């Protein structure tokens, strides 16, 4: 993420704009990994 | 006819198995269900004269969560309750009943505890209403209340949640993001709209009561090849003490957005100069709740409930 | 004995928490050895995945359990959350 920061004269407040997206698609990320762990050629399934 | 019933439930003898019907959107696997109803049958019209239902220490499961420790009483004063025309669903032209209920815990990924749901359930022009002077629950060690609401279930619903001193550290902990810690108490009001199956929130707000801390440490902050704006942001967030936090809450179509204006200082950055942090935090709510249900282990009960399709016989219900 | 024929003979089955167990009340020594060997390797893999997505190991184990049960072929054993063994 690329926050934008404005730093002005010493007494002025610093402004930080920050966008955060909390992804919960862990199923998607984990799914691919588990598919390979629990597969014929992994020897574990 | 005066009907009395009393039944206790277990994982093998559940509410849905007892009633031999899959149409209920929930099931009870513990506790007891009792009640009595006085019914008058004359020439094809059935009138409910009196009606009392109670649950004791009930627990169970529904599509997206589990509940336990339910004490409930639904009772109607003794006067003409409503008539039931044969071959039609039950029609209640003047049904109303008082509801007093307490639920120890409702877990949908996020836990709500000590829920008090009290009010009047009534039917007017064949539309069901629930009127409550005050219903409340404890969530994230804070209080969530609805006051003086009259909900018409056949219409769009508009409810205002009054939030008091939610603990930010508990809320943040549910997302278990490594390296993130935040503290402080949040209060505010969240007007919720519900229309044909969809929730949305357009102008909810929560504000911090008396300041708090935000700490976010990530290995990234030590790396050299990040631009200085990101570096400054990480430095600030290493130990950010805020005095005010005002958050606007918007929810629509599974996207929950907190637009927060936070002002505070980090004593070690720009020798403690005032910093205004405008933080937009977006969460996919369905995914978040699903992950929290998996983490709290209740998704197994939910799946067992969904899998337990009871094939009831041809529409006849036997009363033993 | 290899895992595939152990499953064919109904000596080993998949459970909801992503690990193997035996539907047989008194499994033989080599079946027990096979189960603990495979489970140890699975646990190590699950831990790596959990670290990568910064989620607790238990979450990955439960997702693995769902997947293993889904991928189990007809005639092999799977276990329900209440402990009951059933042939798919």
């Amino acid at each position: 993420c690329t926050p934008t920061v404005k730093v002005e004269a010493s007494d002025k407040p610093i402004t930080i704009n920050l966008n955060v997206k909390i992804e919960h698609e862990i199923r998607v990320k984990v799914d691919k990994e588990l598919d390979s762990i629990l597969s014929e050629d992994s020897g574990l399934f | 006819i005066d009907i009395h019933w009393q039944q206790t439930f277990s994982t093998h003898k559940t509410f849905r198995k007892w009633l031999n019907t899959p149409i209920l959107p929930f099931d009870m696997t513990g506790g007891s269900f009792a009640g009595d109803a006085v019914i008058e049958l004359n020439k094809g019209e059935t009138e409910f004269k009196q009606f009392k239902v109670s649950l004791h220490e009930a627990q169970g499961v529904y599509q997206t969560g589990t509940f336990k420790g339910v004490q409930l009483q639904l009772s109607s004063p003794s006067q003409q309750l409503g008539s039931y025309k044969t071959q039609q669903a039950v029609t209640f032209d003047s049904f109303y009943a008082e509801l007093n209920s307490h639920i120890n815990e409702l877990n949908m990924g996020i836990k709500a505890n000590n829920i008090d749901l009290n009010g009047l359930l009534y039917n007017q022009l064949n539309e069901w209403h629930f009127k409550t002077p005050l219903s409340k629950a404890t969530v994230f060690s804070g209080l969530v209340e609805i006051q003086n609401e009259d909900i018409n279930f056949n219409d769009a619903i508009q409810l205002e949640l009054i939030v008091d001193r939610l603990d930010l550290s508990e809320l943040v902990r549910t997302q278990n993001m490594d390296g993130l810690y935040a503290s402080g108490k949040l209060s505010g009001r969240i007007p919720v709209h519900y229309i044909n199956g969809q929730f949305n929130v357009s102008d909810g707000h929560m504000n911090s009561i008396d300041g708090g801390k935000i700490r976010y440490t990530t290995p990234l902050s030590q790396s050299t090849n990040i631009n200085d704006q990101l570096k400054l942001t990480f430095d600030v967030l290493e130990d950010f003490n805020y005095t005010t936090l005002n958050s606007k809450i918007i929810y629509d179509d599974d996207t929950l957005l907190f637009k927060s204006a936070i002002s505070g200082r980090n004593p070690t950055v720009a020798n403690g100069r005032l910093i205004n942090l405008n933080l937009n935090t977006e969460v996919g709510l369905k995914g978040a709740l699903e992950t929290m249900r998996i983490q709290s282990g209740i998704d197994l009960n939910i799946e067992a409930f969904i899998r337990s399709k009871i094939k009831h016989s041809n529409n006849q219900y036997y009363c033993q | 004995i290899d895992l595939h024929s152990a499953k064919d003979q109904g000596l080993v089955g998949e459970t909801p928490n992503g690990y193997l167990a035996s539907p047989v009340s008194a499994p033989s020594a080599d079946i027990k050895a096979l189960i603990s060997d495979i489970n140890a390797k699975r646990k190590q893999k699950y831990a790596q995945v959990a670290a990568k997505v910064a989620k607790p190991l238990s979450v990955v184990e439960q997702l693995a359990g769902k997947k293993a049960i889904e991928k189990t072929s007809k005639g092999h054993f799977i276990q329900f959350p209440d402990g009951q063994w059933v042939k798919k």
Side-chain angles (χ1 to χ4, degrees), chain A residues 27 31 33 35 38 44, chain C residues 42 52 63 66-67 71:
Chain A
R27 282 218 173 183
D31 214 59
E33 308 262 354
D35 251 326
L38 299 169
L44 300 179
Chain C
R42 283 190 180 185
K52 205 186 282 183
L63 291 175
K66 267 194 234 315
K67 183 166 281 298
K71 289 177 83 167

Side-chain angles (χ1 to χ4, degrees), chain B residues 26-93:
Chain B
F26 66 93
D27 199 357
M28 287 193 270
T29 55
S32 63
F33 171 49
D36 53 69
V38 176
I39 298 180
E40 218 173 84
L41 289 164
N42 39 46
K43 294 197 294 317
E45 190 177 13
T46 310
E47 281 175 48
F48 278 84
K49 286 289 179 205
Q50 207 188 326
F51 176 83
K52 182 159 163 284
V53 167
S54 65
L55 285 173
H56 181 62
E57 281 311 319
Q59 67 182 49
V61 60
Y62 61 102
Q63 292 287 62
T64 54
T66 58
F67 53 86
K68 58 183 181 188
V70 179
Q71 311 289 98
L72 178 142
Q73 178 142 43
L74 184 66
S75 53
S76 67
S78 58
Q79 40 100 307
Q80 211 272 335
L81 259 175
S83 54
Y84 167 79
K85 306 275 185 313
T86 49
Q87 275 83 37
Q88 268 177 0
V90 175
T91 58
F92 291 89
D93 43 24

Side-chain angles (χ1 to χ4, degrees), chain A residues 10 14 16-17 20 22 24, chain B residues 175 229 273 276 278 280 282:
Chain A
S10 64
I14 300 168
I16 298 177
N17 298 316
V20 170
I22 300 178
H24 268 283
Chain B
Q175 300 308 300
Q229 293 192 342
R273 201 171 349 146
N276 289 327
N278 299 316
N280 290 340
E282 206 182 285

Side-chain angles (χ1 to χ4, degrees), chain A residues 13-29:
Chain A
I14 300 168
T15 302
I16 298 177
N17 298 316
L18 183 58
N19 293 330
V20 170
K21 191 164 191 334
I22 300 178
E23 283 296 338
H24 268 283
E25 300 339 332
I26 66 163
R27 282 218 173 183
V28 175
K29 267 190 230 152

Side-chain angles (χ1 to χ4, degrees), chain B residues 9 13 53 57 135 150 191 196 199 219 224 242 252 268 306 315:
Chain B
F9 303 118
K13 180 75 177 175
V53 167
E57 281 311 319
S135 287
D150 188 340
N196 41 48
F199 280 100
T224 47
Y242 67 86
D252 190 28
T268 63
I306 290 171
N315 274 7

